[in-house]
Amino acid sequence: SVVKAHSVINQWGFKKGTSFLQCPLVRECLTKLAIEKKTPLYCVAADVASAFSRTNRICQLFECSGQGEYGKLFLFTVNFFRNTDVILSCNNKFSERFSEHQGASQGSILGPGLWSVYSVPMSKKMEHADIGAKYYGQDYGLLYIADDGLGLVETENRFKIMNRLFEKYSEEYSVEY
């Protein structure tokens, strides 16, 4: 279908019915599987600089609840959001640490919709290069938690290729890591 051809395969946090908390679990399982199989696993973690300037935690909690989070998982999310501190920087000067609890909803206006425009091309670059780690027939070469990317490959040569793909993507789409 058209939607599947233009979507990120392994995306958590900007998809209905999926919690961003699932991705760390998947990453941990893949890491343990690589250890058990005695195969190397090379990773690139890409956190976009200033992708989201402000976050409204109440809106995020509402979204998590709407995705079906409840009980201890929802309590964990509540506590996770309570512990968000910020340090602002400008011209190599830093503010004091303060708690972030107000502002526009995450991603500001149209955040998730616009972010998918940026994440899909990187996902497609990894798919076309066919270098990602694969387990049980599933490609785990690139995982996204909202705007944060995690690339996984199994050889040093593929790691170098993946780094070049991230760099090229960064230049083409003016994304700063």
Side-chain angles (χ1 to χ4, degrees), residues 2 12 15 29 32 34-35 39 46-47 52 63 71 75 84 87 100 105 111 114 116 119 135-136 146 152 159 164:
V2 172
W12 291 270
K15 270 182 148 174
C29 289
K32 287 182 178 180
I35 291 168
T39 58
D47 188 8
F52 306 118
E63 290 170 1
L75 183 60
T84 301
I87 298 175
E100 179 187 28
S105 60
L114 290 179
S116 66
S119 60
Y135 296 99
Y136 303 107
L152 302 169
F159 180 73
R164 287 194 297 271

Side-chain angles (χ1 to χ4, degrees), residues 108-126:
S108 195
I109 299 168
L110 301 177
L114 290 179
W115 182 252
S116 66
V117 172
Y118 286 97
S119 60
V120 171
M122 183 60 207
S123 177
K124 295 303 176 192
K125 284 181 184 300
M126 286 292 289

Side-chain angles (χ1 to χ4, degrees), residues 72-92:
K72 289 183 179 181
L73 177 60
F74 188 71
L75 183 60
F76 173 83
T77 303
V78 169
N79 289 330
F80 179 83
F81 289 156
R82 281 191 186 137
N83 295 319
T84 301
D85 287 346
V86 175
I87 298 175
L88 299 176
S89 67
C90 180
N91 296 328
N92 293 323

Side-chain angles (χ1 to χ4, degrees), residues 1-176:
S1 81
V2 172
V3 172
K4 186 175 180 182
H6 295 89
S7 64
V8 176
I9 296 171
N10 299 311
Q11 172 81 52
W12 291 270
F14 282 162
K15 270 182 148 174
K16 184 174 175 58
T18 59
S19 169
F20 75 96
L21 296 171
Q22 293 170 318
C23 190
L25 179 65
V26 171
R27 184 205 64 229
E28 183 69 18
C29 289
L30 294 173
T31 303
K32 287 182 178 180
L33 183 60
I35 291 168
E36 288 174 10
K37 290 184 166 231
K38 295 181 174 36
T39 58
L41 189 62
Y42 296 84
C43 303
V44 168
D47 188 8
V48 176
S50 301
F52 306 118
S53 58
R54 293 181 286 172
T55 305
N56 184 322
R57 299 299 180 196
I58 293 170
C59 288
Q60 283 186 305
L61 289 172
F62 178 78
E63 290 170 1
C64 290
S65 175
Q67 291 176 359
E69 287 188 18
Y70 62 92
K72 289 183 179 181
L73 177 60
F74 188 71
L75 183 60
F76 173 83
T77 303
V78 169
N79 289 330
F80 179 83
F81 289 156
R82 281 191 186 137
N83 295 319
T84 301
D85 287 346
V86 175
I87 298 175
L88 299 176
S89 67
C90 180
N91 296 328
N92 293 323
K93 294 181 182 179
F94 299 91
S95 73
E96 295 294 319
R97 183 181 301 270
F98 63 93
S99 180
E100 179 187 28
H101 55 82
Q102 293 182 351
S105 60
Q106 182 158 350
S108 195
I109 299 168
L110 301 177
L114 290 179
W115 182 252
S116 66
V117 172
Y118 286 97
S119 60
V120 171
M122 183 60 207
S123 177
K124 295 303 176 192
K125 284 181 184 300
M126 286 292 289
E127 282 179 48
H128 293 306
D130 196 29
I131 58 172
K134 293 176 183 60
Y135 296 99
Y136 303 107
Q138 174 71 38
D139 188 340
Y140 291 100
L142 187 60
L143 312 177
Y144 271 108
I145 307 173
D147 66 307
D148 302 329
L150 179 66
L152 302 169
V153 295
E154 297 172 304
T155 68
E156 189 173 343
N157 186 49
R158 288 179 177 197
F159 180 73
K160 290 175 183 176
I161 294 168
M162 179 173 55
N163 279 334
R164 287 194 297 271
L165 289 175
F166 269 97
E167 288 171 3
K168 184 173 179 169
Y169 163 77
S170 177
E171 291 169 10
E172 289 176 357
Y173 291 89
S174 300
V175 173
E176 185 179 332

